[in-house]
Amino acid sequence: MIIKKQDILYLAGAALFACSPLVLDAYWTDVLNNIGLYAILALSLNIILGQCGLFQMGHAAFFAVGAYSSAILNTMFDIPLLWTMPVAGILAGLFGLIVARPIIHLRGDYLLIVTIGIVEIIRIALINDVGGLTGGANGIFGIDRPILFGLKIKRPHQFFYLIWGFCAATIFLFHRLENSRFGRALNYIKDDDVAAEGSGIDISRYKLTAFVIGAFWAGMVGTIFAGKMKIISPESFSFWESVLLFTIVILGGMGSIRGVLLGAFLIIGLPELFRDFASARMLIFGAAMVAMMIFRTQGLLPPLPRRYDVSRFFSKAEGEQS
Amino acid sequence: MEEFFQQLTNGLAVGGIYALIALGYTMVYGVLKLINFAHGDLFTIGAFLGLTLLTSLGLTDSVGPVAGLLVLAVMVVILVGVVGFLLERVAYRPLRTSPRLSAVVSALGASIFFQNAIMLIWGARPLVYPHGLLPNITVDVFGVELPLIRIIMFAISVVLMCGLYYLTHKTRIGTAIRAAAIDQGAAKLMGIDVNRVISLVFMIGPALGGAAGVMVGLYYGQINFTMGWLYGLKAFTAAILGGIGNIPGAMLGGLILGVVESLGAAYISIAWKDAISFLVLILILIVRPTGLLGERVADKV
């Protein structure tokens, strides 16, 4: 493996970023933590929406399933929070599978609407205290802090490393996934699903797999969210959360990890900078969404075109002939 | 049994509102294949404009309640129509040839914009329509009590829907709209100014939604800046139920959804009322994505 100049730059940037809690106060560290959480969630949505091209606007539902699973396991059965993480992921993934199975074949806009319907149903179910588990409109409180290697994580500076560490792992994994056979198949389905099916790709299985991976990951983020907030309530998982994630992926550049990260910084971070205009900032946010789409349809950092170095292959072949 | 009919009439009145909003969705979708996410907020704008005009102009005092409300409704319809026209010009027209997702995001952005604009102008707290604008008369039909407002609402919905049906199916403008819905390119070749048709659609749809907004204000009394979202989603469900792009379908879908929801709230659970609509939505899309009257749309999608 050759280390490229670009990789060194990325690593240096990451190292610099890792030092930021040392100079930032608790408030701004917390903002960074929120950005990190949304970045991971958006990356998990990116597999479904960005890479596979499935219009999924119900991502908050899987996030909610994960967060609530963790919260219930932790508060009712006293299981340490981080231990519930795989369970949260699996339950969310399972839920994704059950939900996506009948709707995965739907055309773009219809899928969008169905997923919106699902997130709303989940929210209503949470408010109605299904099975006496979800605590109704008040939600669940008294969730333990996560404990990592014996250290109780409670301050924003500590959460920073947990969240961004998880984010770094996510970036690495999803980057590998993107360039795998599976990732390329997803991109192919996004570009032209008829052709993809024609060339032997089982499109509904791939779509379903993408959906489940995304849901699984969002569920795991739910655990961290529960530990960070200590209280979760149905409001945290409304449709607008889904819209936010959807917007991060589209605005950043569908299918581009760099883009999604930038999107998370802009969409979660920028409004914080304009807190002085608190009342008008969402107005500006809405207008900015429209303007962005008009002036930069493909998003801020669209994925780089994948290069298959054909020329080198040919020149080499010619070289061998002569 | 009486309870059943009571709920049925209630459902029809609310269904009329859903149908009016659904018409806006279905017309826009028919022509542009775009879900106008900001449509529900235009409906909210209608409700708030109606209240402001009602309280500031004092129309109902000077010319009597019925005439006053009619004048008010006309004003709201025109104003919301203008907002719809501007919305299309600013947020959707530049994206006509872009990927669909861009238009979806733009629509969501417009929705957020409108919602917050309403909040900044009228405040975040719910506002209340004045009481007793319409005389509190109840008609007794075979043991079923029908409040006057319910009858009036249903009647207005039906009149507006019939008017729209006449416009789209019996006039030249309507023919142009339907032609543009089937094939914009071909419509252009036949000399139809498609841009003007789209502008028109974006005026008529929101205008009907605005009228529905005033009706909701009069019926429920209370309005708030976020209500457009839920009504919008239900109306969209109604549009899909009937077959999206199909105008009679949207009317039928609205009425059916209103009735299903009322009966569901009465016989299943009021807490799950909103979930019932979404469940209906999901079931239709899985079982019959073209909707009830959707055959004609099938070749378009």
Side-chain angles (χ1 to χ4, degrees), chain B residues 268-281:
Chain B
I268 301 172
S269 155
I270 193 142
W272 289 85
K273 188 182 105 184
D274 296 331
I276 294 169
S277 331
F278 298 127
L279 213 59
V280 169
L281 170 75

Side-chain angles (χ1 to χ4, degrees), chain B residues 85-229:
Chain B
F85 172 80
L86 291 174
L87 167 70
E88 193 268 334
R89 269 300 166 87
V90 174
Y92 301 149
R93 185 162 298 186
L95 290 166
R96 199 76 63 70
T97 53
S98 309
R100 296 173 71 99
L101 265 181
S102 319
V104 170
V105 173
S106 185
L108 285 167
S111 171
I112 294 173
F113 178 84
F114 279 134
Q115 231 181 67
N116 286 280
I118 298 167
M119 192 190 77
L120 288 177
I121 296 171
W122 282 286
R125 292 172 60 191
L127 297 183
V128 183
Y129 264 66
H131 282 293
L133 282 174
L134 288 168
N136 198 2
I137 303 171
T138 303
V139 187
D140 196 330
V141 185
F142 305 119
V144 179
E145 288 184 356
L146 285 177
L148 183 67
I149 181 154
R150 225 177 256 181
I151 302 173
I152 292 179
M153 261 172 54
F154 187 65
I156 292 178
S157 303
V158 171
V159 167
L160 286 176
M161 287 189 273
C162 290
L164 183 70
Y165 187 80
Y166 178 83
L167 180 82
T168 50
H169 286 77
K170 306 279 183 226
T171 63
R172 278 172 65 89
I173 296 171
T175 314
I177 293 177
R178 283 182 298 135
I182 294 168
D183 187 334
Q184 285 188 24
K188 265 189 202 133
L189 290 177
M190 304 316 268
I192 294 170
D193 186 343
V194 173
N195 276 334
R196 270 179 62 191
V197 167
I198 292 171
S199 286
L200 192 69
V201 164
F202 264 94
M203 284 158 74
I204 298 173
L208 292 173
V214 176
M215 279 160 55
V216 162
L218 289 173
Y219 188 58
Y220 290 107
Q222 211 183 51
I223 55 176
N224 67 68
F225 74 105
T226 53
M227 69 180 187
W229 162 242

Side-chain angles (χ1 to χ4, degrees), chain A residues 109-110 113-114 128 239 294 297, chain B residues 100 102 229 236 244 271 285:
Chain A
D109 290 351
Y110 284 174
I113 287 294
V114 170
N128 283 323
F239 164 72
I294 293 170
T297 304
Chain B
R100 296 173 71 99
S102 319
W229 162 242
F236 188 78
I244 192 143
L285 283 178

